[in-house]
Amino acid sequence: MTGLNSAVVVVTGAGRGLGAALAISLADQGCKLILCGRNPQALAQVAATIEQRTGRTAEQVVVDLADSDSVKAALAEIHVRQPQVDILINNGAMWLEASERPHSVAEVTGVIDAALSGTFLLTQGLLPALKASSRPDIVTIGSISGLPNAPLHSVSLPFYAAKHGQLALADGLRQVLRGTPVRSLCVHPPYLEDISPLDEAWERVPERRKGDSGTNRDVVEAVIFALTRPRHVSLSSIVIDTDNGGLFS
């Protein structure tokens, strides 16, 4: 098993929800965090939590994945701060629920660009920094909505398509990076209960029974498990399913 202590980790969408939970939990594991997201105040709050818990400072980079110029600026900033990156977690995405009204152009392009164009450009731009690492990993946070033949549930068609695209992106990276030290790992969460490592509910997750909802902690633990496998093993697709909010609920 490979440890995570001192690994430099870039997390997108790190200002709230699952991204924040991933960042805080990885900092608890001894990682050095670069927090990326659209809201500087939210990033600062997560960074303050990390410093309070670990005594270490988390870097903060404001980026809008739906804006290619913003991605370009973020890449330049990350390269200046950290010429070597060990782990990239592509968590940032825009949610769009199904609606009877037509979706606006901004909604559609925002969802597609954040999940695909921006995520690809950020990943492509960080590949040199990842290849400088002795333990480089790319983790894509997909969704059960992106699995083959997955039902729409309550998601919008643009979100559904974007998540299918993320699965293709993760699989394409796995093929392109074959023969290199870089692994492409992918985790597909169900609908989640949004809890934080700061919440009491976080500690009670192991007590849940079959039929209960999935949580952010379940995804965090799956990501950490995948990251800490021996280097010759790539968990290229982890599906987290639940009776409530899962693939066939």
Side-chain angles (χ1 to χ4, degrees):
M1 187 171 79
T2 304
L4 294 173
N5 190 48
S6 299
V8 177
V9 184
V10 175
V11 180
T12 64
R16 60 185 178 85
L18 177 58
L22 282 162
I24 294 167
S25 299
L26 288 167
D28 288 345
Q29 294 280 322
C31 298
K32 301 175 182 177
L33 269 297
I34 302 176
L35 310 174
C36 297
R38 290 182 294 170
N39 187 325
Q41 290 77 27
L43 295 179
Q45 187 172 2
V46 175
T49 297
I50 288 173
E51 186 168 10
Q52 183 180 26
R53 289 168 71 95
T54 68
R56 291 186 297 275
T57 301
E59 304 276 0
Q60 303 161 57
V61 176
V62 177
V63 60
D64 181 355
L65 290 173
D67 182 339
S68 60
D69 289 336
S70 178
V71 173
K72 183 178 180 181
L75 282 167
E77 192 170 349
I78 293 170
H79 283 307
V80 168
R81 298 187 184 193
Q82 292 289 350
Q84 175 184 305
V85 171
D86 300 303
I87 300 167
L88 167 61
I89 300 184
N90 286 322
N91 168 74
M94 292 179 65
W95 166 253
L96 185 60
E97 194 167 5
S99 173
E100 292 184 0
R101 65 168 179 79
H103 297 297
S104 69
V105 172
E107 287 175 330
V108 173
T109 57
V111 167
I112 300 296
D113 286 345
L116 295 177
S117 303
T119 294
F120 173 75
L121 290 171
L122 186 74
T123 302
Q124 178 178 253
L126 286 178
L127 276 177
L130 285 160
K131 289 180 178 178
S133 168
S134 61
R135 49 135 317 128
D137 284 323
I138 301 168
V139 180
T140 301
I141 304 298
S143 168
I144 57 167
S145 295
L147 297 174
N149 302 313
L152 273 167
H153 290 303
S154 65
V155 305
S156 66
L157 188 53
F159 181 87
Y160 184 79
K163 284 300 179 180
H164 275 71
Q166 281 191 320
L167 174 59
L169 181 60
D171 186 62
L173 284 168
R174 181 176 60 84
Q175 296 180 55
V176 168
L177 296 170
R178 183 175 179 271
T180 77
V182 187
R183 299 186 300 188
S184 176
L185 315 172
C186 192
V187 178
H188 301 283
Y191 289 80
L192 296 172
E193 184 177 329
D194 185 14
I195 61 174
S196 162
L198 311 181
D199 300 334
E200 290 183 9
W202 189 270
E203 300 303 322
R204 295 197 299 269
V205 168
E207 301 170 7
R208 295 191 175 208
R209 299 182 179 183
K210 190 171 185 292
D212 292 339
S213 300
T215 73
N216 288 346
R217 176 171 171 173
D218 302 309
V219 183
V220 167
E221 291 181 348
V223 169
I224 291 174
F225 181 77
L227 289 171
T228 53
R229 294 311 89 202
R231 298 301 303 173
H232 71 293
V233 174
S234 294
L235 299 186
S236 55
S237 181
I238 300 177
V239 178
I240 303 174
D241 206 356
T242 54
D243 289 353
N244 182 11
L247 186 59
F248 299 113
S249 66

